[in-house]
Amino acid sequence: MKIGLIGLPSTGKTTLFNLLTNMVGSSETAAGKTEPHVGVAKIPDKRIDFLANHYKPKKITYAAIEVIDIRGIEPESGGGKEKGAVHFLEAVRQVDALIHVVRVFRNGDVIHSEGSLDPLRDIDAVNMELLFADLAVIENRLKRIEASKKMTADLEAERAVLEKCRKCLESEKLIHSMDLTDDEKQVLKTFQFLTERPLVLLLNLDEDQFRSGSYEKKEALHDYAGKRGIPLLEISVRTEYEINQLDGDDKALFMEDLGILETGISRLASLIYDYLGLISFLTVGTDEVRAWTINKATTAKAAGGKIHSDIERGFIRAEIHKYADFERLGTIHAIKEKGLFKIEGKDHIIEDGDIINFRFNV
Ligand SMILES: Nc1nc2c(ncn2[C@@H]2O[C@H](COP(=O)(O)OP(=O)(O)O)[C@@H](O)[C@H]2O)c(=O)[nH]1
Ligand SMILES: [Mg+2]
């Protein structure tokens, strides 16, 4: 899975990227360059820590999200004519979800690209950029459909959906927020609309704002997100980045002092998993303890395919116990005694935290 970080200049995207991917020191490219930065964020998972402690495996593998620091948004350029904007739009098309980093932090040393602090205006500016790009695509396509000599039923259906999307965008709503049928979604697939991407707003607070839990226009921002069904997360990115550079003991101390119960990446990851309908299953052993990411409602057979196509092809059965039971009871033996060790067939639906051993034959 790939997530893209977007936002106006100097809102904290690269700091967040470095925090998520554990990069030390920023490696910003020179001004004007627009290539996105790519890295991998390891998703913290207490279950993996617990299981690794038990099995002492040679290898521990956490679930991971690919993160892309997408630069080059130019709200003024409109319609994506400039090179930077084209790069930006192309990069956005390649991700599964977007995190819009919004500056709420006050810091006189960092110049605000719009001259003043106004998170709502900034959110709108970025949304508009995405929205106009989609509108341009829609209008182009509608023109071509209207110019076509034969109006087939397929074209008619396409026209109807596009008109619907145009209305939505013209009322400044994102396509993601529309109620569409599966057929309609299918029609839209080829267009890869930017505003169809799931979007999370990340309000980047300064340390004082984070501590006190209050900042200007807080209510208005929560209102805005709530009305549009956009998830919103409050993180002090730089503070967490700085804490993350510390050693274990100091880290825990500072986190406690700031009232950070869960790190930003943990909160961000669970939010994205929820939002995109993702869960994890786990595999254990003395070789490797590992988390695997799947969609909700994945069958045992398909989950096996996530590990290796041979497992899916030669699937016999899945032996499953729940992580929560293992944490509580401590041994497989105890789990079996309580009848909590299950043998399941290919159509069994996997749940979050299932520890699975696949039996297969190829
Ligand atoms: N005070 C404060 N400054 C921040 C915070 N996050 C980022 N900055 C500063 O803002 C500037 C721009 O950050 P950067 O991550 O490069 O922003 P980008 O242009 O969006 O990639 C840097 O000087 C950061 O140190 C924050 O949470 N609080
Ligand atoms: Mg940057």
Side-chain angles (χ1 to χ4, degrees), residues 7-18 26 28 69 71 101 103 105-107 109-110 204-207 235-239 242:
L8 297 181
S10 300
T11 51
K13 296 182 297 297
T14 300
T15 312
L16 176 66
F17 175 85
N18 291 335
S26 165
E28 279 283 51
D69 181 1
R71 305 197 189 88
V101 182
R103 174 168 173 178
F105 67 84
R106 305 153 293 183
N107 175 356
D109 297 339
V110 179
N204 187 7
L205 310 185
D206 59 49
E207 196 174 313
I235 297 183
S236 179
V237 175
R238 202 173 69 178
T239 309
E242 281 163 3

Side-chain angles (χ1 to χ4, degrees), residues 137-138 141-142 145 151-166 175 178 180-193 196-197:
V137 172
I138 289 178
R141 181 62 193 156
L142 282 173
I145 291 177
M151 198 62 176
T152 63
D154 277 354
L155 275 181
E156 184 53 51
E158 189 182 335
R159 199 187 58 81
V161 186
L162 290 178
E163 287 286 6
K164 214 166 147 180
C165 291
R166 174 157 74 177
I175 294 177
M178 291 174 72
L180 295 167
T181 65
D182 286 345
D183 284 347
E184 288 174 326
K185 280 184 191 154
Q186 194 57 38
V187 173
L188 295 188
K189 229 175 193 163
T190 51
F191 296 102
Q192 294 188 294
F193 287 125
E196 212 187 344
R197 301 272 177 285

Side-chain angles (χ1 to χ4, degrees), residues 194-207:
L194 306 174
T195 68
E196 212 187 344
R197 301 272 177 285
L199 178 82
V200 174
L201 289 174
L202 189 154
L203 303 185
N204 187 7
L205 310 185
D206 59 49
E207 196 174 313

Side-chain angles (χ1 to χ4, degrees), residues 28-29 74 96 159 217 226 271 327:
E28 279 283 51
T29 61
E74 304 287 325
D96 302 303
R159 199 187 58 81
K217 305 252 178 65
L271 192 143
E327 196 194 90

